[in-house]
Amino acid sequence: MSLVVMKFGGTSVEDPAAIRRTAAIVAGRVAQGKQPIVVVSAMAKVTDQLLRAAAIAAEGDRTGALAISSRLRSRHRDTAAALVADSGALVDRIDLKFDSLDEILRGLSAILELTPRVSDLIVSFGELFSSRIVAAAFREQGINTVHVDSRQIIITDSQFQKAIPQDDLIEERVPKKLLPLLAAGQVPVMGGFIASNQAGISTTLGRGGSDFTAALIGGALRAEAIEIWTDVDGIMTADPRVCPDALRVKVISFEEAAELAYFGAKVLHPATILPAVKKNIPVLVLNSRNAACEGTRIISLPPHCKSPFKSIAVKKKLSIIDVVASRMLMTHGYMKDIFDIFDKHECPVDMVSTSEVSVSLTVDSNEKLPSIAADLGQLADVKYEGKKALVCLVGDDIRGQSGMAAQVFNAIRHINVRMISQGASEINMSFMIDEDDADEAVRSLHAAFFQDPDPAIFDVDARKTK
Ligand code: ADP
Ligand code: ASP
Ligand code: MG
Protein backbone atom coordinates (compact mmCIF):
# COMPACT_ATOMS: atom_id res chain seq x y z
CA MET A 1 0.00 0.00 0.00
CA SER A 2 1.23 3.49 -0.79
CA LEU A 3 -0.02 5.35 2.27
CA VAL A 4 0.10 9.11 2.50
CA VAL A 5 -1.08 11.18 5.44
CA MET A 6 -2.60 14.46 4.26
CA LYS A 7 -3.13 17.15 6.90
CA PHE A 8 -5.22 20.19 6.03
CA GLY A 9 -4.94 23.25 8.29
CA GLY A 10 -7.72 25.66 9.27
CA THR A 11 -7.57 27.80 6.13
CA SER A 12 -7.77 24.68 3.93
CA VAL A 13 -11.20 23.88 5.45
CA GLU A 14 -12.34 27.43 6.25
CA ASP A 15 -15.43 27.55 4.00
CA PRO A 16 -17.26 25.49 1.34
CA ALA A 17 -14.91 26.62 -1.44
CA ALA A 18 -11.81 25.62 0.57
CA ILE A 19 -13.31 22.24 1.46
CA ARG A 20 -14.12 21.59 -2.20
CA ARG A 21 -10.51 22.38 -3.13
CA THR A 22 -9.35 20.01 -0.41
CA ALA A 23 -11.66 17.27 -1.73
CA ALA A 24 -10.22 17.75 -5.23
CA ILE A 25 -6.64 17.44 -3.89
CA VAL A 26 -7.47 14.21 -2.05
CA ALA A 27 -9.35 12.82 -5.07
CA GLY A 28 -6.23 13.61 -7.12
CA ARG A 29 -4.06 11.50 -4.79
CA VAL A 30 -6.55 8.61 -4.99
CA ALA A 31 -6.45 8.87 -8.79
CA GLN A 32 -2.63 8.52 -8.58
CA GLY A 33 -3.14 5.19 -6.81
CA LYS A 34 -2.25 6.53 -3.34
CA GLN A 35 -4.12 5.70 -0.16
CA PRO A 36 -4.68 8.92 1.76
CA ILE A 37 -5.44 9.26 5.46
CA VAL A 38 -6.83 12.75 5.98
CA VAL A 39 -6.29 14.81 9.15
CA VAL A 40 -8.09 18.15 9.43
CA SER A 41 -7.89 21.15 11.74
CA ALA A 42 -10.90 23.08 12.95
CA MET A 43 -12.20 25.62 10.42
CA ALA A 44 -10.00 28.76 10.49
CA LYS A 45 -10.27 30.81 13.72
CA VAL A 46 -12.72 28.37 15.35
CA THR A 47 -10.27 27.24 18.05
CA ASP A 48 -9.61 30.87 19.02
CA GLN A 49 -13.34 31.57 19.17
CA LEU A 50 -14.08 28.47 21.28
CA LEU A 51 -11.33 29.47 23.71
CA ARG A 52 -12.75 32.98 23.88
CA ALA A 53 -16.26 31.65 24.54
CA ALA A 54 -14.91 29.45 27.33
CA ALA A 55 -12.92 32.31 28.87
CA ILE A 56 -15.78 34.78 28.95
CA ALA A 57 -18.27 32.15 30.16
CA ALA A 58 -15.96 31.49 33.11
CA GLU A 59 -15.94 35.23 33.81
CA GLY A 60 -19.74 35.14 34.06
CA ASP A 61 -20.55 36.49 30.58
CA ARG A 62 -23.08 33.82 29.69
CA THR A 63 -24.80 35.86 26.97
CA GLY A 64 -21.52 36.71 25.25
CA ALA A 65 -20.33 33.10 25.31
CA LEU A 66 -23.63 31.81 23.90
CA ALA A 67 -23.52 34.48 21.19
CA ILE A 68 -20.11 33.20 20.02
CA SER A 69 -21.44 29.65 20.05
CA SER A 70 -24.50 30.72 18.08
CA ARG A 71 -22.35 32.34 15.37
CA LEU A 72 -20.20 29.20 15.18
CA ARG A 73 -23.34 27.08 14.92
CA SER A 74 -24.57 29.09 11.92
CA ARG A 75 -21.17 28.94 10.23
CA HIS A 76 -20.96 25.16 10.56
CA ARG A 77 -24.61 24.55 9.59
CA ASP A 78 -24.26 26.81 6.53
CA THR A 79 -21.04 25.11 5.47
CA ALA A 80 -22.61 21.65 5.80
CA ALA A 81 -25.71 22.71 3.88
CA ALA A 82 -23.62 24.27 1.09
CA LEU A 83 -21.56 21.11 0.61
CA VAL A 84 -24.00 18.24 1.10
CA ALA A 85 -27.23 17.98 -0.90
CA ASP A 86 -29.08 15.91 1.66
CA SER A 87 -27.59 17.55 4.73
CA GLY A 88 -30.49 17.02 7.18
CA ALA A 89 -28.86 14.28 9.28
CA LEU A 90 -25.49 16.08 9.34
CA VAL A 91 -27.06 19.39 10.38
CA ASP A 92 -29.06 17.61 13.10
CA ARG A 93 -25.88 16.07 14.42
CA ILE A 94 -24.13 19.46 14.41
CA ASP A 95 -27.11 20.96 16.26
CA LEU A 96 -27.02 18.28 18.93
CA LYS A 97 -23.32 18.87 19.52
CA PHE A 98 -23.82 22.62 19.72
CA ASP A 99 -26.63 22.02 22.24
CA SER A 100 -24.18 20.17 24.48
CA LEU A 101 -21.51 22.87 23.94
CA ASP A 102 -24.07 25.48 25.06
CA GLU A 103 -24.83 23.39 28.16
CA ILE A 104 -21.14 23.36 29.06
CA LEU A 105 -20.85 27.14 28.53
CA ARG A 106 -23.90 27.73 30.75
CA GLY A 107 -22.34 25.49 33.38
CA LEU A 108 -19.08 27.43 33.20
CA SER A 109 -20.88 30.74 33.66
CA ALA A 110 -22.46 29.32 36.80
CA ILE A 111 -19.34 27.85 38.40
CA LEU A 112 -17.01 30.63 37.15
CA GLU A 113 -14.00 28.40 36.80
CA LEU A 114 -12.29 27.09 33.68
CA THR A 115 -9.98 24.13 34.21
CA PRO A 116 -7.52 22.92 31.53
CA ARG A 117 -9.59 19.74 31.28
CA VAL A 118 -12.81 21.62 30.47
CA SER A 119 -10.92 23.90 28.10
CA ASP A 120 -9.78 20.84 26.11
CA LEU A 121 -13.33 19.49 26.05
CA ILE A 122 -14.59 22.79 24.62
CA VAL A 123 -11.91 23.24 21.95
CA SER A 124 -12.31 19.61 20.85
CA PHE A 125 -15.65 20.60 19.29
CA GLY A 126 -13.80 22.52 16.57
CA GLU A 127 -12.06 19.46 15.10
CA LEU A 128 -15.11 17.26 15.70
CA PHE A 129 -17.30 19.55 13.61
CA SER A 130 -14.77 20.13 10.85
CA SER A 131 -13.90 16.45 10.46
CA ARG A 132 -17.59 15.44 10.24
CA ILE A 133 -18.32 18.12 7.64
CA VAL A 134 -15.22 17.35 5.59
CA ALA A 135 -15.99 13.61 5.64
CA ALA A 136 -19.54 14.26 4.41
CA ALA A 137 -18.30 16.68 1.75
CA PHE A 138 -15.76 14.12 0.48
CA ARG A 139 -18.50 11.51 0.22
CA GLU A 140 -20.58 13.97 -1.75
CA GLN A 141 -17.63 14.39 -4.15
CA GLY A 142 -17.52 10.63 -4.71
CA ILE A 143 -14.59 9.80 -2.39
CA ASN A 144 -15.14 6.56 -0.46
CA THR A 145 -14.76 8.21 2.95
CA VAL A 146 -15.07 7.02 6.53
CA HIS A 147 -14.99 9.32 9.57
CA VAL A 148 -12.69 8.22 12.39
CA ASP A 149 -12.79 9.70 15.89
CA SER A 150 -9.14 10.45 16.61
CA ARG A 151 -9.78 10.25 20.34
CA GLN A 152 -10.02 6.49 19.99
CA ILE A 153 -6.54 6.11 18.52
CA ILE A 154 -4.40 9.08 19.62
CA ILE A 155 -3.89 8.32 23.30
CA THR A 156 -2.06 10.76 25.56
CA ASP A 157 -1.26 11.35 29.19
CA SER A 158 -3.49 13.71 31.19
CA GLN A 159 -1.56 16.97 30.79
CA PHE A 160 -4.52 18.83 29.41
CA GLN A 161 -3.78 21.52 26.76
CA LYS A 162 -0.35 20.02 25.97
CA ALA A 163 -0.84 16.31 26.39
CA ILE A 164 2.03 13.93 25.65
CA PRO A 165 1.24 11.11 23.18
CA GLN A 166 1.64 7.59 24.51
CA ASP A 167 3.66 6.07 21.67
CA ASP A 168 3.11 2.40 22.54
CA LEU A 169 -0.67 2.73 22.62
CA ILE A 170 -0.73 4.82 19.45
CA GLU A 171 1.52 2.33 17.60
CA GLU A 172 -0.94 -0.39 18.55
CA ARG A 173 -4.27 1.37 17.99
CA VAL A 174 -3.63 3.35 14.82
CA PRO A 175 -2.84 0.37 12.54
CA LYS A 176 -5.51 -1.75 14.18
CA LYS A 177 -8.19 0.83 13.44
CA LEU A 178 -6.98 2.25 10.12
CA LEU A 179 -5.41 -0.65 8.19
CA PRO A 180 -8.70 -2.57 7.74
CA LEU A 181 -10.39 0.62 6.50
CA LEU A 182 -7.55 1.26 4.06
CA ALA A 183 -7.61 -2.36 2.92
CA ALA A 184 -11.30 -1.88 2.12
CA GLY A 185 -10.32 1.07 -0.11
CA GLN A 186 -11.72 3.72 2.23
CA VAL A 187 -10.26 7.15 2.93
CA PRO A 188 -10.26 7.80 6.71
CA VAL A 189 -10.94 11.43 7.72
CA MET A 190 -10.18 12.48 11.27
CA GLY A 191 -9.72 15.61 13.38
CA GLY A 192 -6.18 16.61 14.28
CA PHE A 193 -5.10 18.16 17.60
CA ILE A 194 -7.66 16.25 19.70
CA ALA A 195 -6.89 13.06 21.57
CA SER A 196 -7.91 11.35 24.77
CA ASN A 197 -6.25 9.96 27.84
CA GLN A 198 -6.53 6.29 28.72
CA ALA A 199 -9.75 6.95 30.62
CA GLY A 200 -11.31 8.36 27.44
CA ILE A 201 -11.30 12.01 28.61
CA SER A 202 -10.62 14.49 25.77
CA THR A 203 -7.16 16.07 25.66
CA THR A 204 -5.35 18.23 23.09
CA LEU A 205 -1.79 18.25 21.75
CA GLY A 206 -1.19 22.01 22.13
CA ARG A 207 -1.94 24.85 19.70
CA GLY A 208 -1.15 23.99 16.11
CA GLY A 209 -1.21 20.31 17.12
CA SER A 210 -2.95 18.92 14.03
CA ASP A 211 0.46 18.71 12.34
CA PHE A 212 1.57 16.56 15.26
CA THR A 213 -1.44 14.25 14.84
CA ALA A 214 -0.53 13.79 11.16
CA ALA A 215 3.05 12.91 12.09
CA LEU A 216 1.92 10.43 14.74
CA ILE A 217 -0.42 8.70 12.29
CA GLY A 218 2.23 8.70 9.58
CA GLY A 219 4.79 7.28 12.00
CA ALA A 220 2.49 4.54 13.29
CA LEU A 221 1.54 3.47 9.75
CA ARG A 222 5.07 3.84 8.28
CA ALA A 223 3.48 6.08 5.64
CA GLU A 224 5.32 6.87 2.42
CA ALA A 225 4.96 10.62 3.11
CA ILE A 226 3.31 13.11 5.43
CA GLU A 227 1.82 16.10 3.62
CA ILE A 228 1.09 19.30 5.55
CA TRP A 229 -1.31 21.36 3.42
CA THR A 230 -1.50 25.02 4.41
CA ASP A 231 -2.02 28.54 2.99
CA VAL A 232 1.53 29.28 1.78
CA ASP A 233 3.72 27.61 -0.87
CA GLY A 234 5.84 25.76 1.69
CA ILE A 235 8.50 26.64 4.22
CA MET A 236 9.67 30.08 3.16
CA THR A 237 12.91 31.95 3.83
CA ALA A 238 10.93 34.06 6.35
CA ASP A 239 7.30 34.45 7.37
CA PRO A 240 5.77 35.86 4.15
CA ARG A 241 3.41 38.01 6.23
CA VAL A 242 6.41 39.84 7.63
CA CYS A 243 8.69 39.67 4.61
CA PRO A 244 6.86 39.78 1.27
CA ASP A 245 10.12 38.93 -0.58
CA ALA A 246 10.36 35.53 1.14
CA LEU A 247 11.24 32.66 -1.20
CA ARG A 248 10.09 29.06 -1.05
CA VAL A 249 12.69 26.65 0.33
CA LYS A 250 12.52 23.62 -1.98
CA VAL A 251 14.29 21.18 0.30
CA ILE A 252 15.40 21.27 3.94
CA SER A 253 16.69 18.78 6.51
CA PHE A 254 14.63 17.38 9.41
CA GLU A 255 16.97 19.14 11.86
CA GLU A 256 16.68 22.52 10.18
CA ALA A 257 12.89 22.29 9.92
CA ALA A 258 12.63 21.26 13.57
CA GLU A 259 14.82 24.18 14.62
CA LEU A 260 12.69 26.61 12.60
CA ALA A 261 9.48 25.24 14.07
CA TYR A 262 10.85 25.33 17.58
CA PHE A 263 12.04 28.91 17.13
CA GLY A 264 8.69 30.20 16.01
CA ALA A 265 7.97 29.43 12.33
CA LYS A 266 4.25 28.73 12.73
CA VAL A 267 4.09 26.79 9.48
CA LEU A 268 4.96 23.56 11.37
CA HIS A 269 4.24 22.45 14.95
CA PRO A 270 7.61 21.81 16.67
CA ALA A 271 6.82 18.19 17.53
CA THR A 272 5.81 17.28 13.99
CA ILE A 273 9.21 16.28 12.80
CA LEU A 274 10.15 13.78 15.50
CA PRO A 275 7.89 10.84 14.53
CA ALA A 276 8.91 11.40 10.91
CA VAL A 277 12.63 11.42 11.73
CA LYS A 278 12.38 8.23 13.78
CA LYS A 279 10.96 6.37 10.78
CA ASN A 280 12.68 8.47 8.09
CA ILE A 281 9.40 9.51 6.48
CA PRO A 282 9.63 12.61 4.24
CA VAL A 283 7.38 15.52 5.24
CA LEU A 284 6.06 17.84 2.53
CA VAL A 285 4.65 21.30 3.16
CA LEU A 286 2.19 22.22 0.40
CA ASN A 287 -0.29 24.97 -0.49
CA SER A 288 -3.96 23.95 -0.79
CA ARG A 289 -4.62 27.20 -2.71
CA ASN A 290 -1.84 26.45 -5.18
CA ALA A 291 -1.76 22.66 -5.39
CA ALA A 292 0.43 22.66 -8.51
CA CYS A 293 3.36 24.12 -6.54
CA GLU A 294 5.77 21.41 -5.40
CA GLY A 295 6.13 22.90 -1.88
CA THR A 296 8.94 22.10 0.54
CA ARG A 297 10.39 18.64 0.99
CA ILE A 298 11.76 17.88 4.47
CA ILE A 299 14.16 14.94 4.28
CA SER A 300 17.13 13.55 6.18
CA LEU A 301 19.90 14.45 3.73
CA PRO A 302 19.19 17.41 1.47
CA PRO A 303 21.87 18.61 -0.98
CA HIS A 304 24.44 21.08 0.35
CA CYS A 305 23.26 24.69 0.23
CA LYS A 306 25.64 27.35 -1.07
CA SER A 307 23.79 30.16 0.73
CA PRO A 308 24.67 30.55 4.42
CA PHE A 309 21.09 30.39 5.71
CA LYS A 310 17.91 28.58 4.77
CA SER A 311 15.37 30.57 6.73
CA ILE A 312 14.78 33.13 9.50
CA ALA A 313 12.31 32.41 12.30
CA VAL A 314 11.01 34.64 15.06
CA LYS A 315 9.54 33.70 18.39
CA LYS A 316 7.70 36.53 20.13
CA LYS A 317 6.12 37.00 23.58
CA LEU A 318 9.31 36.10 25.42
CA SER A 319 10.81 37.48 28.63
CA ILE A 320 14.42 37.85 29.71
CA ILE A 321 15.34 37.10 33.30
CA ASP A 322 18.66 38.50 34.53
CA VAL A 323 20.12 36.86 37.63
CA VAL A 324 23.13 38.69 39.11
CA ALA A 325 25.11 37.55 42.14
CA SER A 326 28.69 38.20 43.16
CA ARG A 327 28.32 35.07 45.30
CA MET A 328 28.52 33.12 42.07
CA LEU A 329 32.18 33.99 41.62
CA MET A 330 34.37 30.90 42.08
CA THR A 331 31.53 28.70 43.35
CA HIS A 332 30.00 25.60 41.89
CA GLY A 333 26.45 24.26 41.99
CA TYR A 334 25.01 27.71 41.39
CA MET A 335 23.66 26.97 37.92
CA LYS A 336 22.03 23.85 39.25
CA ASP A 337 20.23 25.89 41.91
CA ILE A 338 18.95 28.28 39.25
CA PHE A 339 17.77 25.54 36.92
CA ASP A 340 16.14 23.66 39.80
CA ILE A 341 13.87 26.65 40.26
CA PHE A 342 12.78 26.61 36.61
CA ASP A 343 12.27 22.88 36.91
CA LYS A 344 10.12 23.27 40.01
CA HIS A 345 7.87 25.70 38.12
CA GLU A 346 7.87 23.43 35.03
CA CYS A 347 9.07 26.38 32.95
CA PRO A 348 11.18 25.57 29.88
CA VAL A 349 14.14 27.87 29.19
CA ASP A 350 14.86 28.86 25.57
CA MET A 351 18.25 30.50 25.70
CA VAL A 352 20.93 31.04 28.35
CA SER A 353 23.94 33.29 28.47
CA THR A 354 26.34 33.58 31.38
CA SER A 355 29.21 35.65 32.67
CA GLU A 356 31.26 35.14 35.79
CA VAL A 357 28.61 36.74 38.01
CA SER A 358 25.42 36.81 36.00
CA VAL A 359 23.08 34.56 34.09
CA SER A 360 20.45 35.71 31.60
CA LEU A 361 17.71 33.30 30.62
CA THR A 362 14.80 33.62 28.24
CA VAL A 363 11.42 31.99 28.70
CA ASP A 364 7.92 32.28 27.22
CA SER A 365 6.16 35.15 28.98
CA ASN A 366 3.82 33.46 31.41
CA GLU A 367 1.93 33.93 34.61
CA LYS A 368 4.51 31.94 36.61
CA LEU A 369 7.21 34.60 36.14
CA PRO A 370 6.57 36.56 39.38
CA SER A 371 6.82 33.39 41.50
CA ILE A 372 9.91 32.19 39.59
CA ALA A 373 11.51 35.60 40.17
CA ALA A 374 10.60 35.45 43.85
CA ASP A 375 12.31 32.04 44.21
CA LEU A 376 15.38 33.24 42.28
CA GLY A 377 15.42 36.30 44.53
CA GLN A 378 16.45 33.98 47.37
CA LEU A 379 19.69 33.31 45.49
CA ALA A 380 20.55 36.61 43.83
CA ASP A 381 19.35 39.93 42.43
CA VAL A 382 16.71 39.31 39.80
CA LYS A 383 15.18 41.46 37.07
CA TYR A 384 12.80 40.40 34.35
CA GLU A 385 11.47 42.14 31.28
CA GLY A 386 8.80 41.07 28.77
CA LYS A 387 7.99 41.95 25.13
CA LYS A 388 11.15 40.33 23.79
CA ALA A 389 11.62 38.34 20.58
CA LEU A 390 14.11 35.69 19.61
CA VAL A 391 15.33 35.83 16.02
CA CYS A 392 16.83 32.61 14.76
CA LEU A 393 18.78 32.05 11.55
CA VAL A 394 18.91 28.45 10.40
CA GLY A 395 21.35 27.02 7.89
CA ASP A 396 23.30 23.82 7.39
CA ASP A 397 26.82 24.86 8.39
CA ILE A 398 26.82 28.15 10.21
CA ARG A 399 29.73 27.33 12.47
CA GLY A 400 31.92 26.41 9.53
CA GLN A 401 31.67 29.88 7.95
CA SER A 402 34.03 32.54 9.23
CA GLY A 403 32.87 36.13 9.53
CA MET A 404 29.23 35.13 9.62
CA ALA A 405 28.46 36.73 12.99
CA ALA A 406 29.95 40.02 11.79
CA GLN A 407 27.74 39.96 8.69
CA VAL A 408 24.63 39.16 10.71
CA PHE A 409 25.13 41.92 13.25
CA ASN A 410 26.15 44.37 10.57
CA ALA A 411 22.83 43.76 8.82
CA ILE A 412 20.96 44.74 11.99
CA ARG A 413 23.43 47.29 13.33
CA HIS A 414 20.61 49.80 13.92
CA ILE A 415 18.88 47.38 16.33
CA ASN A 416 19.73 46.87 19.99
CA VAL A 417 20.63 43.21 20.69
CA ARG A 418 20.06 41.91 24.23
CA MET A 419 21.42 38.36 24.11
CA ILE A 420 23.28 36.21 21.58
CA SER A 421 23.65 32.48 21.21
CA GLN A 422 25.51 30.35 18.76
CA GLY A 423 26.23 27.30 20.78
CA ALA A 424 26.14 23.59 20.34
CA SER A 425 23.94 23.60 17.29
CA GLU A 426 25.78 24.02 14.02
CA ILE A 427 22.62 24.96 12.25
CA ASN A 428 21.30 27.90 14.23
CA MET A 429 22.39 31.36 15.26
CA SER A 430 19.98 33.28 17.45
CA PHE A 431 19.69 36.55 19.28
CA MET A 432 17.21 38.41 21.41
CA ILE A 433 15.80 41.84 20.68
CA ASP A 434 12.76 43.95 21.58
CA GLU A 435 9.57 42.56 20.09
CA ASP A 436 8.87 45.88 18.35
CA ASP A 437 12.14 45.58 16.38
CA ALA A 438 11.56 41.98 15.27
CA ASP A 439 9.83 42.51 11.91
CA GLU A 440 12.38 45.12 10.88
CA ALA A 441 15.23 42.79 11.87
CA VAL A 442 13.82 39.97 9.75
CA ARG A 443 13.47 42.21 6.71
CA SER A 444 17.00 43.58 7.10
CA LEU A 445 18.51 40.11 7.50
CA HIS A 446 16.49 38.82 4.57
CA ALA A 447 17.67 41.65 2.35
CA ALA A 448 21.29 40.96 3.37
CA PHE A 449 21.35 37.16 3.06
CA PHE A 450 18.87 36.26 0.33
CA GLN A 451 20.15 38.55 -2.46
CA ASP A 452 21.67 35.74 -4.46
CA PRO A 453 20.09 32.50 -3.24
CA ASP A 454 21.26 29.02 -4.28
CA PRO A 455 18.83 27.94 -7.06
CA ALA A 456 19.22 24.28 -6.06
CA ILE A 457 17.60 25.04 -2.70
CA PHE A 458 15.36 28.07 -3.21
CA ASP A 459 12.64 28.82 -5.72
CA VAL A 460 14.39 31.71 -7.42
CA ASP A 461 12.08 31.60 -10.47
CA ALA A 462 9.23 32.97 -8.32
CA ARG A 463 11.30 36.12 -7.71
CA LYS A 464 11.99 36.56 -11.42
CA THR A 465 8.29 36.45 -12.29
CA LYS A 466 7.29 38.92 -9.52
P1 ADP B 1 -2.43 25.99 9.22
O1 ADP B 1 -3.73 26.55 9.72
O2 ADP B 1 -2.50 25.46 7.83
O3 ADP B 1 -1.79 25.04 10.19
P2 ADP B 1 -0.66 28.07 10.16
O4 ADP B 1 -1.30 29.43 10.24
O5 ADP B 1 -0.50 27.28 11.42
O6 ADP B 1 -1.46 27.25 9.07
O7 ADP B 1 0.78 28.16 9.46
C1 ADP B 1 0.90 28.82 8.20
C2 ADP B 1 1.41 30.24 8.41
O8 ADP B 1 2.72 30.18 8.98
C3 ADP B 1 1.61 31.02 7.15
O9 ADP B 1 0.42 31.66 6.73
C4 ADP B 1 2.73 32.01 7.51
O10 ADP B 1 2.22 33.30 7.80
C5 ADP B 1 3.33 31.43 8.79
N1 ADP B 1 4.79 31.27 8.72
C6 ADP B 1 5.67 31.67 9.67
N2 ADP B 1 6.91 31.42 9.31
C7 ADP B 1 6.88 30.82 8.10
C8 ADP B 1 7.87 30.32 7.20
N3 ADP B 1 9.16 30.35 7.47
N4 ADP B 1 7.43 29.76 6.06
C9 ADP B 1 6.12 29.71 5.76
N5 ADP B 1 5.14 30.16 6.56
C10 ADP B 1 5.51 30.73 7.72
N1 ASP C 1 -7.18 23.92 15.67
C1 ASP C 1 -5.99 23.86 16.49
C2 ASP C 1 -5.38 25.24 16.67
O1 ASP C 1 -5.88 26.21 16.11
C3 ASP C 1 -4.99 22.88 15.98
C4 ASP C 1 -4.41 23.16 14.61
O2 ASP C 1 -4.99 23.95 13.86
O3 ASP C 1 -3.38 22.57 14.29
O4 ASP C 1 -4.44 25.37 17.41
MG1 MG D 1 -0.61 25.23 11.99
Side-chain angles (χ1 to χ4, degrees):
M1 280 197 274
S2 163
L3 304 182
V4 11
V5 179
M6 305 176 76
K7 177 263 172 175
F8 293 88
T11 46
S12 305
V13 294
E14 67 186 346
D15 55 24
I19 296 175
R20 281 195 202 98
R21 275 197 301 270
T22 293
I25 292 168
V26 173
R29 283 285 181 275
V30 174
Q32 289 167 353
K34 310 267 181 204
Q35 290 206 286
I37 299 104
V38 176
V39 175
V40 293
S41 292
M43 295 171 75
K45 309 254 162 45
V46 168
T47 306
D48 287 337
Q49 285 160 11
L50 288 168
L51 286 170
R52 172 98 191 116
I56 64 174
E59 285 162 8
D61 183 2
R62 180 164 166 259
T63 317
L66 291 175
I68 295 176
S69 168
S70 161
R71 283 196 293 276
L72 286 172
R73 187 191 289 249
S74 305
R75 180 172 169 200
H76 285 89
R77 285 179 60 129
D78 293 351
T79 307
L83 287 164
V84 182
D86 193 5
S87 63
L90 177 60
V91 171
D92 286 350
R93 178 175 227 143
I94 292 172
D95 267 333
L96 269 179
K97 288 237 165 267
F98 268 104
D99 290 346
S100 63
L101 174 63
D102 288 350
E103 279 299 301
I104 301 169
L105 292 173
R106 282 192 199 95
L108 271 181
S109 69
I111 55 173
L112 300 176
E113 190 198 358
L114 177 62
T115 60
R117 170 172 164 169
V118 173
S119 175
D120 273 359
L121 175 63
I122 290 175
V123 284
S124 73
F125 282 91
E127 268 71 9
L128 289 177
F129 293 134
S130 66
S131 58
R132 288 277 175 197
I133 293 172
V134 168
F138 279 14
R139 242 173 266 129
E140 194 81 5
Q141 304 284 319
I143 303 171
N144 182 3
T145 313
V146 54
H147 179 266
V148 171
D149 188 340
S150 14
R151 293 170 305 178
Q152 293 173 359
I153 52 178
I154 303 292
I155 309 300
T156 65
D157 69 3
S158 299
Q159 287 187 57
F160 296 101
Q161 298 183 317
K162 49 173 186 318
I164 311 279
Q166 305 294 288
D167 290 340
D168 295 354
L169 291 167
I170 293 171
E171 289 275 325
E172 181 195 317
R173 291 201 194 186
V174 167
K176 199 163 155 197
K177 175 80 190 175
L178 297 184
L179 288 179
L181 303 174
L182 292 163
Q186 293 184 296
V187 175
V189 172
M190 52 190 280
F193 174 58
I194 56 176
S196 79
N197 68 10
Q198 281 195 61
I201 310 289
S202 295
T203 58
T204 63
L205 301 175
R207 293 305 306 268
S210 295
D211 299 347
F212 195 9
T213 307
L216 291 167
I217 300 280
L221 292 177
R222 310 312 185 251
E224 174 189 278
I226 297 163
E227 298 179 349
I228 306 290
W229 290 84
T230 183
D231 62 351
V232 282
D233 277 346
I235 294 183
M236 312 288 285
T237 47
D239 185 343
R241 285 181 214 202
V242 173
C243 185
D245 289 340
L247 293 168
R248 175 170 60 91
V249 183
K250 294 198 269 193
V251 60
I252 194 165
S253 69
F254 285 127
E255 290 81 4
E256 290 165 327
E259 206 94 345
L260 280 174
Y262 183 69
F263 285 99
K266 193 187 167 203
V267 64
L268 269 190
H269 180 283
T272 305
I273 298 296
L274 200 63
V277 178
K278 278 193 198 154
K279 316 247 163 69
N280 201 12
I281 301 170
V283 177
L284 289 113
V285 181
L286 298 156
N287 189 351
S288 67
R289 294 174 180 169
N290 182 17
C293 176
E294 63 187 22
T296 299
R297 207 174 163 76
I298 310 174
I299 54 174
S300 55
L301 280 176
H304 175 69
C305 178
K306 295 199 197 87
S307 313
F309 300 115
K310 293 256 175 76
S311 185
I312 310 167
V314 177
K315 197 169 176 182
K316 292 187 177 169
K317 295 196 189 129
L318 299 180
S319 294
I320 295 191
I321 308 179
D322 293 316
V323 183
V324 184
S326 42
R327 185 156 77 72
M328 202 169 148
L329 204 62
M330 319 292 280
T331 60
H332 62 88
Y334 193 78
M335 285 294 193
K336 178 178 180 302
D337 295 344
I338 291 178
F339 279 101
D340 281 349
I341 290 170
F342 285 91
D343 194 35
K344 177 183 138 197
H345 292 275
E346 293 178 1
C347 178
V349 173
D350 274 322
M351 189 165 147
V352 186
S353 106
T354 65
S355 77
E356 195 73 56
V357 291
S358 71
V359 189
S360 297
L361 307 106
T362 68
V363 298
D364 280 349
S365 297
N366 62 60
E367 70 285 0
K368 294 174 190 162
L369 274 180
S371 37
I372 295 174
D375 282 356
L376 290 168
Q378 309 283 325
L379 301 175
D381 294 331
V382 181
K383 274 193 315 218
Y384 65 95
E385 216 184 310
K387 290 204 74 190
K388 296 283 172 276
L390 188 64
V391 178
C392 168
L393 292 138
V394 171
D396 60 15
D397 179 26
I398 295 175
R399 258 207 312 211
Q401 312 197 29
S402 54
M404 199 44 70
Q407 288 181 47
V408 167
F409 294 110
N410 188 40
I412 51 150
R413 60 191 173 280
H414 49 297
I415 289 171
N416 180 26
V417 176
R418 274 293 312 268
M419 259 170 93
I420 301 171
S421 152
Q422 189 199 348
S425 164
E426 287 179 22
I427 61 167
N428 129 12
M429 183 190 278
S430 39
F431 56 88
M432 192 71 138
I433 55 178
D434 281 338
E435 206 170 83
D436 293 341
D437 293 331
D439 292 355
E440 174 56 29
V442 171
R443 286 190 284 264
S444 301
L445 289 165
H446 200 274
F449 290 103
F450 293 95
Q451 279 297 336
D452 185 22
D454 182 346
I457 305 294
F458 304 98
D459 180 15
V460 289
D461 296 341
R463 183 172 281 176
K464 284 184 205 140
T465 54
K466 262 190 188 170

